[in-house]
Amino acid sequence: MADAAKITVTGVTKVYRRDELEVTALQNVDFSIREGQFVSIIGPSGCGKTTLFNIIAGLTLPTSGQVVVDGRSILGQAGYVGYMLQNDLLLPWRTVLNNIILGLEIHRVPREQSVRQAMPLIERYGLKGFDQHYPSELSGGMRQRAALLRTLLYNRDILLLDEPFGALDAQTRLDMQMWLMTLWQDFSKTVLFITHDIDEAIFLSDEVFVFSAPPGRIKARIPIDLSRPRTPEQMATPEFSAIKRQLLGLLVTAGHSGSLSPTDAGCEAQARGEVRDDWVR
Amino acid sequence: MTGYVKEQSPPFRRDEELEQSGVVSRPEMPRIRRARVNMIRWGLCALLILLWQISSDHNWIDPFYWSSPRMIAKTIWIQATQGTLWDDVAYTSGSTLLGFVFGTVIGSWIGLLFWWSRTTAEVSEPYLIVLNALPKLALAPVLVILFGIGFSFKVVLAFLMTVVASTLSAFSGVRSVDPAMETLLYSLGASRAQVFSKVVIPWSMPFMISNLRANIALALSGAIVGEFVVSNKGIGRMILYAGTLFDLNLMWVGVVVLSILAVLMYWGVMLLERWLSRRLMIIPPQRTDAPPKPLRPRRPSAGGAAAKPVFPPRPPYPPYPPRL
């Protein structure tokens, strides 16, 4: 049902040990999200947002805590959620189509079947005629689209999107935001969305989580009550500005602790996937 | 972690580099210019041969040491029709090609398999570097005892010349694999074997392919060196034999035949490289039509005419319970 929690995160703490130094990336993160909710996470860089995603995606184990989806623990279980990493990470030697069906291919879905499923998505969501092109021939926005379609075709109820539009220019970004809204409405997925852009967070979300400066904790949860479907014009309304002011206030105090902490390096490495000794055996 | 220097070279060579490496020909290079380059090349070749002939005819150079194109051509003709030239060519190219194929394939696989264990890779690396630097000729005595003085001995030498270099270049490819790409595959629920076949091998392919041309030359030297050590057949033996008999004309025949052989093999490998690159889609094929303009996302029309796409059935979840 819509009111039941789709995903529950309880007491997740992650401590990295590096050279005798213990760095707490996440401290006691608790939240639960209902099915079909769109939740954005904002916070200063290095506050463990990506670490949290890696834990939910089953790529990293938390030091303590639990992640429950549909009543089952998914700790250390890769493949239970759709995860879009910071870069589009399309494999350059595969065509757009072959990139999009990668998730199905890994699960040994017959190729004709995956293509049959992928083609309508490609045509409907702005990549029509590009299925046989290589990623290097696409613009940044289209690459992001392809990466998102890959995550979507993998067909998990929960999508984790880690700053998917971070590298795009403002115009493309707005297009992509509208596009993501369409997708979300069509497929009613539960979405967790990391962003650094407050406007984007407010515009897209049902609820915004503000993370504190390292160690990462949820500092505030701000429900966004703007009407749906959202339009870009809403960004100019007083309600929007009020929420924005509130979030900005929270972020300024959240980032107050100031200078870069060692966690930054850890998070960045994590984002690039370099810290992996604890999950690759 | 130390000693694991991340290589910066991109796995996919940029177009300019590809053009320079000759893997793809520059499409916009004017045909006229190419024709002129080819004409000058062949003209220069003919001029040098002519100069050589004239100098030796007029005794500007001593024909005993330096022979002459006419004498070489004549000896080649005699050797080819009455002598053992074809046998020698077949012998040398056979051992070269066999050594090249085994060395490249086995070496590349060893390099690729290092991906499975970083520890094994790091332990083996210094040994590989030593082996690579070691002149393989030093092993000749023991190889002769092990493999005899026949064909297999030359194949083994050609193999040894190529195998370590292949391992090292495949390994440098493996080492440069983007870790984020591996993470992506794991996040889609892939096994290690799938990451290996879908990311590590294709990523390392350009590294292995770029090594092929160096390898064929190494294999040829291996085979010739083997024939120098001990042999009763082959171009190398022919050259050595001619030298001991002071028949320098015959030696020049060997050198010329060897050059032709080297060029042919080089061409063959270049064609192989090109074919592999295209076939493995390492270079996106050139498109003649301009790419269409980026499309805007299509939104469903307000009238509800656009049906909501039916979502495909989900792939099965990975096995449960967790592997903790």
PDB file of all heavy atoms in Angstrom, chain B residues 276-308:
ATOM      1  N   LEU B 276      40.240  -6.553 -36.151  1.00  0.00           N
ATOM      2  CA  LEU B 276      39.855  -6.730 -34.752  1.00  0.00           C
ATOM      3  C   LEU B 276      39.229  -5.455 -34.205  1.00  0.00           C
ATOM      4  O   LEU B 276      38.203  -5.499 -33.529  1.00  0.00           O
ATOM      5  CB  LEU B 276      41.083  -7.087 -33.911  1.00  0.00           C
ATOM      6  CG  LEU B 276      41.517  -8.538 -33.920  1.00  0.00           C
ATOM      7  CD1 LEU B 276      42.816  -8.690 -33.158  1.00  0.00           C
ATOM      8  CD2 LEU B 276      40.449  -9.417 -33.283  1.00  0.00           C
ATOM      9  N   SER B 277      39.851  -4.310 -34.512  1.00  0.00           N
ATOM     10  CA  SER B 277      39.341  -3.054 -33.985  1.00  0.00           C
ATOM     11  C   SER B 277      37.923  -2.809 -34.449  1.00  0.00           C
ATOM     12  O   SER B 277      37.073  -2.399 -33.679  1.00  0.00           O
ATOM     13  CB  SER B 277      40.220  -1.893 -34.439  1.00  0.00           C
ATOM     14  OG  SER B 277      41.543  -2.130 -34.056  1.00  0.00           O
ATOM     15  N   ARG B 278      37.663  -3.067 -35.713  1.00  0.00           N
ATOM     16  CA  ARG B 278      36.319  -2.852 -36.227  1.00  0.00           C
ATOM     17  C   ARG B 278      35.352  -3.846 -35.619  1.00  0.00           C
ATOM     18  O   ARG B 278      34.270  -3.520 -35.184  1.00  0.00           O
ATOM     19  CB  ARG B 278      36.315  -3.036 -37.747  1.00  0.00           C
ATOM     20  CG  ARG B 278      37.066  -1.966 -38.453  1.00  0.00           C
ATOM     21  CD  ARG B 278      36.149  -1.220 -39.412  1.00  0.00           C
ATOM     22  NE  ARG B 278      36.919  -0.295 -40.208  1.00  0.00           N
ATOM     23  CZ  ARG B 278      37.235   0.919 -39.797  1.00  0.00           C
ATOM     24  NH1 ARG B 278      36.863   1.335 -38.604  1.00  0.00           N
ATOM     25  NH2 ARG B 278      37.928   1.718 -40.574  1.00  0.00           N
ATOM     26  N   ARG B 279      35.793  -5.100 -35.635  1.00  0.00           N
ATOM     27  CA  ARG B 279      34.914  -6.174 -35.210  1.00  0.00           C
ATOM     28  C   ARG B 279      34.532  -6.032 -33.741  1.00  0.00           C
ATOM     29  O   ARG B 279      33.397  -6.301 -33.352  1.00  0.00           O
ATOM     30  CB  ARG B 279      35.654  -7.487 -35.449  1.00  0.00           C
ATOM     31  CG  ARG B 279      35.032  -8.650 -34.830  1.00  0.00           C
ATOM     32  CD  ARG B 279      34.986  -9.822 -35.789  1.00  0.00           C
ATOM     33  NE  ARG B 279      34.122 -10.805 -35.178  1.00  0.00           N
ATOM     34  CZ  ARG B 279      32.965 -11.150 -35.660  1.00  0.00           C
ATOM     35  NH1 ARG B 279      32.553 -10.656 -36.780  1.00  0.00           N
ATOM     36  NH2 ARG B 279      32.206 -12.014 -35.040  1.00  0.00           N
ATOM     37  N   LEU B 280      35.491  -5.616 -32.914  1.00  0.00           N
ATOM     38  CA  LEU B 280      35.210  -5.500 -31.493  1.00  0.00           C
ATOM     39  C   LEU B 280      34.628  -4.142 -31.150  1.00  0.00           C
ATOM     40  O   LEU B 280      34.450  -3.814 -29.998  1.00  0.00           O
ATOM     41  CB  LEU B 280      36.488  -5.747 -30.692  1.00  0.00           C
ATOM     42  CG  LEU B 280      37.066  -7.126 -30.925  1.00  0.00           C
ATOM     43  CD1 LEU B 280      38.427  -7.252 -30.309  1.00  0.00           C
ATOM     44  CD2 LEU B 280      36.151  -8.181 -30.344  1.00  0.00           C
ATOM     45  N   MET B 281      34.382  -3.336 -32.177  1.00  0.00           N
ATOM     46  CA  MET B 281      33.739  -2.044 -32.002  1.00  0.00           C
ATOM     47  C   MET B 281      34.525  -1.158 -31.063  1.00  0.00           C
ATOM     48  O   MET B 281      33.984  -0.446 -30.241  1.00  0.00           O
ATOM     49  CB  MET B 281      32.329  -2.225 -31.466  1.00  0.00           C
ATOM     50  CG  MET B 281      31.450  -2.911 -32.467  1.00  0.00           C
ATOM     51  SD  MET B 281      29.754  -2.849 -31.974  1.00  0.00           S
ATOM     52  CE  MET B 281      29.637  -4.323 -31.033  1.00  0.00           C
ATOM     53  N   ILE B 282      35.861  -1.269 -31.163  1.00  0.00           N
ATOM     54  CA  ILE B 282      36.667  -0.419 -30.316  1.00  0.00           C
ATOM     55  C   ILE B 282      36.671   0.997 -30.866  1.00  0.00           C
ATOM     56  O   ILE B 282      36.659   1.960 -30.144  1.00  0.00           O
ATOM     57  CB  ILE B 282      38.076  -1.004 -30.192  1.00  0.00           C
ATOM     58  CG1 ILE B 282      37.987  -2.189 -29.244  1.00  0.00           C
ATOM     59  CG2 ILE B 282      39.054   0.005 -29.658  1.00  0.00           C
ATOM     60  CD1 ILE B 282      38.989  -3.219 -29.468  1.00  0.00           C
ATOM     61  N   ILE B 283      36.620   1.085 -32.180  1.00  0.00           N
ATOM     62  CA  ILE B 283      36.461   2.400 -32.781  1.00  0.00           C
ATOM     63  C   ILE B 283      35.050   2.450 -33.325  1.00  0.00           C
ATOM     64  O   ILE B 283      34.674   1.600 -34.115  1.00  0.00           O
ATOM     65  CB  ILE B 283      37.409   2.588 -33.963  1.00  0.00           C
ATOM     66  CG1 ILE B 283      38.785   2.107 -33.597  1.00  0.00           C
ATOM     67  CG2 ILE B 283      37.416   3.989 -34.453  1.00  0.00           C
ATOM     68  CD1 ILE B 283      39.493   1.555 -34.771  1.00  0.00           C
ATOM     69  N   PRO B 284      34.297   3.432 -32.922  1.00  0.00           N
ATOM     70  CA  PRO B 284      32.975   3.552 -33.541  1.00  0.00           C
ATOM     71  C   PRO B 284      33.139   3.729 -35.039  1.00  0.00           C
ATOM     72  O   PRO B 284      33.948   4.543 -35.467  1.00  0.00           O
ATOM     73  CB  PRO B 284      32.404   4.815 -32.907  1.00  0.00           C
ATOM     74  CG  PRO B 284      33.250   5.100 -31.729  1.00  0.00           C
ATOM     75  CD  PRO B 284      34.582   4.458 -31.957  1.00  0.00           C
ATOM     76  N   PRO B 285      32.432   2.976 -35.847  1.00  0.00           N
ATOM     77  CA  PRO B 285      32.598   3.107 -37.290  1.00  0.00           C
ATOM     78  C   PRO B 285      32.242   4.516 -37.754  1.00  0.00           C
ATOM     79  O   PRO B 285      31.366   5.154 -37.193  1.00  0.00           O
ATOM     80  CB  PRO B 285      31.628   2.082 -37.851  1.00  0.00           C
ATOM     81  CG  PRO B 285      30.735   1.700 -36.733  1.00  0.00           C
ATOM     82  CD  PRO B 285      31.466   1.974 -35.470  1.00  0.00           C
ATOM     83  N   GLN B 286      32.977   4.964 -38.747  1.00  0.00           N
ATOM     84  CA  GLN B 286      32.726   6.294 -39.278  1.00  0.00           C
ATOM     85  C   GLN B 286      31.345   6.332 -39.920  1.00  0.00           C
ATOM     86  O   GLN B 286      30.967   5.439 -40.636  1.00  0.00           O
ATOM     87  CB  GLN B 286      33.768   6.617 -40.352  1.00  0.00           C
ATOM     88  CG  GLN B 286      35.158   6.827 -39.803  1.00  0.00           C
ATOM     89  CD  GLN B 286      35.292   8.161 -39.131  1.00  0.00           C
ATOM     90  OE1 GLN B 286      34.622   9.109 -39.518  1.00  0.00           O
ATOM     91  NE2 GLN B 286      36.123   8.244 -38.126  1.00  0.00           N
ATOM     92  N   ARG B 287      30.630   7.376 -39.612  1.00  0.00           N
ATOM     93  CA  ARG B 287      29.312   7.502 -40.212  1.00  0.00           C
ATOM     94  C   ARG B 287      29.386   8.470 -41.370  1.00  0.00           C
ATOM     95  O   ARG B 287      30.025   9.502 -41.270  1.00  0.00           O
ATOM     96  CB  ARG B 287      28.314   8.026 -39.204  1.00  0.00           C
ATOM     97  CG  ARG B 287      27.867   6.941 -38.316  1.00  0.00           C
ATOM     98  CD  ARG B 287      27.125   7.480 -37.147  1.00  0.00           C
ATOM     99  NE  ARG B 287      27.070   6.397 -36.185  1.00  0.00           N
ATOM    100  CZ  ARG B 287      26.313   5.322 -36.347  1.00  0.00           C
ATOM    101  NH1 ARG B 287      25.504   5.220 -37.378  1.00  0.00           N
ATOM    102  NH2 ARG B 287      26.328   4.353 -35.483  1.00  0.00           N
ATOM    103  N   THR B 288      28.730   8.114 -42.436  1.00  0.00           N
ATOM    104  CA  THR B 288      28.739   9.021 -43.568  1.00  0.00           C
ATOM    105  C   THR B 288      27.693  10.116 -43.369  1.00  0.00           C
ATOM    106  O   THR B 288      27.928  11.274 -43.679  1.00  0.00           O
ATOM    107  CB  THR B 288      28.455   8.268 -44.866  1.00  0.00           C
ATOM    108  OG1 THR B 288      27.377   7.374 -44.604  1.00  0.00           O
ATOM    109  CG2 THR B 288      29.659   7.487 -45.326  1.00  0.00           C
ATOM    110  N   ASP B 289      26.548   9.732 -42.803  1.00  0.00           N
ATOM    111  CA  ASP B 289      25.498  10.735 -42.565  1.00  0.00           C
ATOM    112  C   ASP B 289      25.814  11.486 -41.276  1.00  0.00           C
ATOM    113  O   ASP B 289      26.339  10.929 -40.326  1.00  0.00           O
ATOM    114  CB  ASP B 289      24.141  10.076 -42.449  1.00  0.00           C
ATOM    115  CG  ASP B 289      24.140   8.954 -41.425  1.00  0.00           C
ATOM    116  OD1 ASP B 289      25.205   8.282 -41.268  1.00  0.00           O
ATOM    117  OD2 ASP B 289      23.125   8.748 -40.769  1.00  0.00           O
ATOM    118  N   ALA B 290      25.529  12.774 -41.274  1.00  0.00           N
ATOM    119  CA  ALA B 290      25.766  13.568 -40.084  1.00  0.00           C
ATOM    120  C   ALA B 290      24.797  13.108 -38.997  1.00  0.00           C
ATOM    121  O   ALA B 290      23.660  12.751 -39.294  1.00  0.00           O
ATOM    122  CB  ALA B 290      25.525  15.037 -40.394  1.00  0.00           C
ATOM    123  N   PRO B 291      25.271  13.090 -37.735  1.00  0.00           N
ATOM    124  CA  PRO B 291      24.341  12.663 -36.691  1.00  0.00           C
ATOM    125  C   PRO B 291      23.159  13.624 -36.597  1.00  0.00           C
ATOM    126  O   PRO B 291      23.342  14.842 -36.737  1.00  0.00           O
ATOM    127  CB  PRO B 291      25.198  12.717 -35.422  1.00  0.00           C
ATOM    128  CG  PRO B 291      26.404  13.480 -35.766  1.00  0.00           C
ATOM    129  CD  PRO B 291      26.593  13.403 -37.239  1.00  0.00           C
ATOM    130  N   PRO B 292      21.970  13.107 -36.405  1.00  0.00           N
ATOM    131  CA  PRO B 292      20.811  13.984 -36.330  1.00  0.00           C
ATOM    132  C   PRO B 292      20.897  14.914 -35.129  1.00  0.00           C
ATOM    133  O   PRO B 292      21.656  14.668 -34.196  1.00  0.00           O
ATOM    134  CB  PRO B 292      19.635  13.011 -36.178  1.00  0.00           C
ATOM    135  CG  PRO B 292      20.228  11.716 -35.808  1.00  0.00           C
ATOM    136  CD  PRO B 292      21.633  11.701 -36.266  1.00  0.00           C
ATOM    137  N   LYS B 293      20.140  15.987 -35.197  1.00  0.00           N
ATOM    138  CA  LYS B 293      20.173  16.947 -34.104  1.00  0.00           C
ATOM    139  C   LYS B 293      19.623  16.297 -32.837  1.00  0.00           C
ATOM    140  O   LYS B 293      18.728  15.458 -32.907  1.00  0.00           O
ATOM    141  CB  LYS B 293      19.309  18.160 -34.465  1.00  0.00           C
ATOM    142  CG  LYS B 293      20.069  19.184 -35.291  1.00  0.00           C
ATOM    143  CD  LYS B 293      19.238  20.415 -35.516  1.00  0.00           C
ATOM    144  CE  LYS B 293      18.203  20.178 -36.582  1.00  0.00           C
ATOM    145  NZ  LYS B 293      17.368  21.302 -36.894  1.00  0.00           N
ATOM    146  N   PRO B 294      20.161  16.687 -31.678  1.00  0.00           N
ATOM    147  CA  PRO B 294      19.637  16.109 -30.444  1.00  0.00           C
ATOM    148  C   PRO B 294      18.134  16.333 -30.333  1.00  0.00           C
ATOM    149  O   PRO B 294      17.634  17.420 -30.630  1.00  0.00           O
ATOM    150  CB  PRO B 294      20.387  16.873 -29.356  1.00  0.00           C
ATOM    151  CG  PRO B 294      21.612  17.377 -30.009  1.00  0.00           C
ATOM    152  CD  PRO B 294      21.257  17.604 -31.440  1.00  0.00           C
ATOM    153  N   LEU B 295      17.454  15.321 -29.910  1.00  0.00           N
ATOM    154  CA  LEU B 295      16.003  15.414 -29.813  1.00  0.00           C
ATOM    155  C   LEU B 295      15.616  15.941 -28.442  1.00  0.00           C
ATOM    156  O   LEU B 295      16.323  15.747 -27.473  1.00  0.00           O
ATOM    157  CB  LEU B 295      15.397  14.029 -30.013  1.00  0.00           C
ATOM    158  CG  LEU B 295      15.697  13.364 -31.338  1.00  0.00           C
ATOM    159  CD1 LEU B 295      15.224  11.926 -31.293  1.00  0.00           C
ATOM    160  CD2 LEU B 295      14.996  14.109 -32.445  1.00  0.00           C
ATOM    161  N   ARG B 296      14.467  16.580 -28.405  1.00  0.00           N
ATOM    162  CA  ARG B 296      13.943  16.973 -27.102  1.00  0.00           C
ATOM    163  C   ARG B 296      13.093  15.815 -26.592  1.00  0.00           C
ATOM    164  O   ARG B 296      12.572  15.040 -27.378  1.00  0.00           O
ATOM    165  CB  ARG B 296      13.058  18.217 -27.255  1.00  0.00           C
ATOM    166  CG  ARG B 296      13.810  19.366 -27.881  1.00  0.00           C
ATOM    167  CD  ARG B 296      12.944  20.604 -27.832  1.00  0.00           C
ATOM    168  NE  ARG B 296      13.718  21.654 -27.199  1.00  0.00           N
ATOM    169  CZ  ARG B 296      13.432  22.138 -26.014  1.00  0.00           C
ATOM    170  NH1 ARG B 296      12.413  21.672 -25.323  1.00  0.00           N
ATOM    171  NH2 ARG B 296      14.161  23.102 -25.508  1.00  0.00           N
ATOM    172  N   PRO B 297      12.988  15.707 -25.302  1.00  0.00           N
ATOM    173  CA  PRO B 297      12.149  14.618 -24.802  1.00  0.00           C
ATOM    174  C   PRO B 297      10.699  14.829 -25.211  1.00  0.00           C
ATOM    175  O   PRO B 297      10.217  15.957 -25.240  1.00  0.00           O
ATOM    176  CB  PRO B 297      12.316  14.736 -23.285  1.00  0.00           C
ATOM    177  CG  PRO B 297      12.758  16.128 -23.052  1.00  0.00           C
ATOM    178  CD  PRO B 297      13.543  16.534 -24.240  1.00  0.00           C
ATOM    179  N   ARG B 298      10.067  13.753 -25.556  1.00  0.00           N
ATOM    180  CA  ARG B 298       8.665  13.866 -25.926  1.00  0.00           C
ATOM    181  C   ARG B 298       7.821  13.641 -24.688  1.00  0.00           C
ATOM    182  O   ARG B 298       7.968  12.648 -23.991  1.00  0.00           O
ATOM    183  CB  ARG B 298       8.338  12.846 -27.005  1.00  0.00           C
ATOM    184  CG  ARG B 298       8.954  13.229 -28.343  1.00  0.00           C
ATOM    185  CD  ARG B 298       8.244  12.525 -29.445  1.00  0.00           C
ATOM    186  NE  ARG B 298       8.508  11.093 -29.351  1.00  0.00           N
ATOM    187  CZ  ARG B 298       7.805  10.191 -29.995  1.00  0.00           C
ATOM    188  NH1 ARG B 298       6.795  10.557 -30.749  1.00  0.00           N
ATOM    189  NH2 ARG B 298       8.100   8.921 -29.888  1.00  0.00           N
ATOM    190  N   ARG B 299       6.979  14.574 -24.436  1.00  0.00           N
ATOM    191  CA  ARG B 299       6.106  14.403 -23.274  1.00  0.00           C
ATOM    192  C   ARG B 299       4.799  13.807 -23.737  1.00  0.00           C
ATOM    193  O   ARG B 299       4.363  14.055 -24.859  1.00  0.00           O
ATOM    194  CB  ARG B 299       5.854  15.748 -22.613  1.00  0.00           C
ATOM    195  CG  ARG B 299       7.125  16.215 -21.937  1.00  0.00           C
ATOM    196  CD  ARG B 299       6.985  17.589 -21.377  1.00  0.00           C
ATOM    197  NE  ARG B 299       8.337  18.164 -21.382  1.00  0.00           N
ATOM    198  CZ  ARG B 299       8.594  19.386 -21.790  1.00  0.00           C
ATOM    199  NH1 ARG B 299       7.628  20.159 -22.212  1.00  0.00           N
ATOM    200  NH2 ARG B 299       9.817  19.831 -21.766  1.00  0.00           N
ATOM    201  N   PRO B 300       4.135  13.053 -22.885  1.00  0.00           N
ATOM    202  CA  PRO B 300       2.844  12.504 -23.281  1.00  0.00           C
ATOM    203  C   PRO B 300       1.864  13.640 -23.529  1.00  0.00           C
ATOM    204  O   PRO B 300       1.853  14.613 -22.780  1.00  0.00           O
ATOM    205  CB  PRO B 300       2.424  11.660 -22.072  1.00  0.00           C
ATOM    206  CG  PRO B 300       3.259  12.151 -20.938  1.00  0.00           C
ATOM    207  CD  PRO B 300       4.519  12.683 -21.527  1.00  0.00           C
ATOM    208  N   SER B 301       1.086  13.539 -24.583  1.00  0.00           N
ATOM    209  CA  SER B 301       0.164  14.618 -24.900  1.00  0.00           C
ATOM    210  C   SER B 301      -0.936  14.682 -23.849  1.00  0.00           C
ATOM    211  O   SER B 301      -1.268  13.691 -23.205  1.00  0.00           O
ATOM    212  CB  SER B 301      -0.435  14.387 -26.282  1.00  0.00           C
ATOM    213  OG  SER B 301      -1.121  13.158 -26.265  1.00  0.00           O
ATOM    214  N   ALA B 302      -1.463  15.881 -23.669  1.00  0.00           N
ATOM    215  CA  ALA B 302      -2.428  16.106 -22.600  1.00  0.00           C
ATOM    216  C   ALA B 302      -3.676  15.261 -22.795  1.00  0.00           C
ATOM    217  O   ALA B 302      -4.331  14.866 -21.835  1.00  0.00           O
ATOM    218  CB  ALA B 302      -2.798  17.584 -22.533  1.00  0.00           C
ATOM    219  N   GLY B 303      -4.026  14.992 -24.042  1.00  0.00           N
ATOM    220  CA  GLY B 303      -5.246  14.246 -24.325  1.00  0.00           C
ATOM    221  C   GLY B 303      -5.172  12.779 -23.905  1.00  0.00           C
ATOM    222  O   GLY B 303      -6.151  12.056 -23.989  1.00  0.00           O
ATOM    223  N   GLY B 304      -4.029  12.368 -23.434  1.00  0.00           N
ATOM    224  CA  GLY B 304      -3.907  10.980 -22.988  1.00  0.00           C
ATOM    225  C   GLY B 304      -3.812  10.018 -24.149  1.00  0.00           C
ATOM    226  O   GLY B 304      -4.022   8.828 -24.006  1.00  0.00           O
ATOM    227  N   ALA B 305      -3.475  10.557 -25.334  1.00  0.00           N
ATOM    228  CA  ALA B 305      -3.406   9.693 -26.513  1.00  0.00           C
ATOM    229  C   ALA B 305      -2.223   8.745 -26.407  1.00  0.00           C
ATOM    230  O   ALA B 305      -2.324   7.574 -26.759  1.00  0.00           O
ATOM    231  CB  ALA B 305      -3.289  10.545 -27.771  1.00  0.00           C
ATOM    232  N   ALA B 306      -1.116   9.290 -25.891  1.00  0.00           N
ATOM    233  CA  ALA B 306       0.061   8.439 -25.753  1.00  0.00           C
ATOM    234  C   ALA B 306      -0.159   7.470 -24.593  1.00  0.00           C
ATOM    235  O   ALA B 306      -0.312   7.881 -23.454  1.00  0.00           O
ATOM    236  CB  ALA B 306       1.301   9.290 -25.484  1.00  0.00           C
ATOM    237  N   ALA B 307      -0.206   6.197 -24.931  1.00  0.00           N
ATOM    238  CA  ALA B 307      -0.455   5.209 -23.895  1.00  0.00           C
ATOM    239  C   ALA B 307       0.781   5.090 -23.020  1.00  0.00           C
ATOM    240  O   ALA B 307       1.903   5.227 -23.480  1.00  0.00           O
ATOM    241  CB  ALA B 307      -0.793   3.872 -24.527  1.00  0.00           C
ATOM    242  N   LYS B 308       0.564   4.878 -21.766  1.00  0.00           N
ATOM    243  CA  LYS B 308       1.674   4.644 -20.848  1.00  0.00           C
ATOM    244  C   LYS B 308       2.333   3.336 -21.248  1.00  0.00           C
ATOM    245  O   LYS B 308       1.649   2.327 -21.441  1.00  0.00           O
ATOM    246  CB  LYS B 308       1.075   4.526 -19.447  1.00  0.00           C
ATOM    247  CG  LYS B 308       2.057   4.658 -18.332  1.00  0.00           C
ATOM    248  CD  LYS B 308       1.301   4.746 -17.027  1.00  0.00           C
ATOM    249  CE  LYS B 308       2.146   4.158 -15.923  1.00  0.00           C
ATOM    250  NZ  LYS B 308       1.499   4.249 -14.632  1.00  0.00           N
TER     251      LYS B 308
END
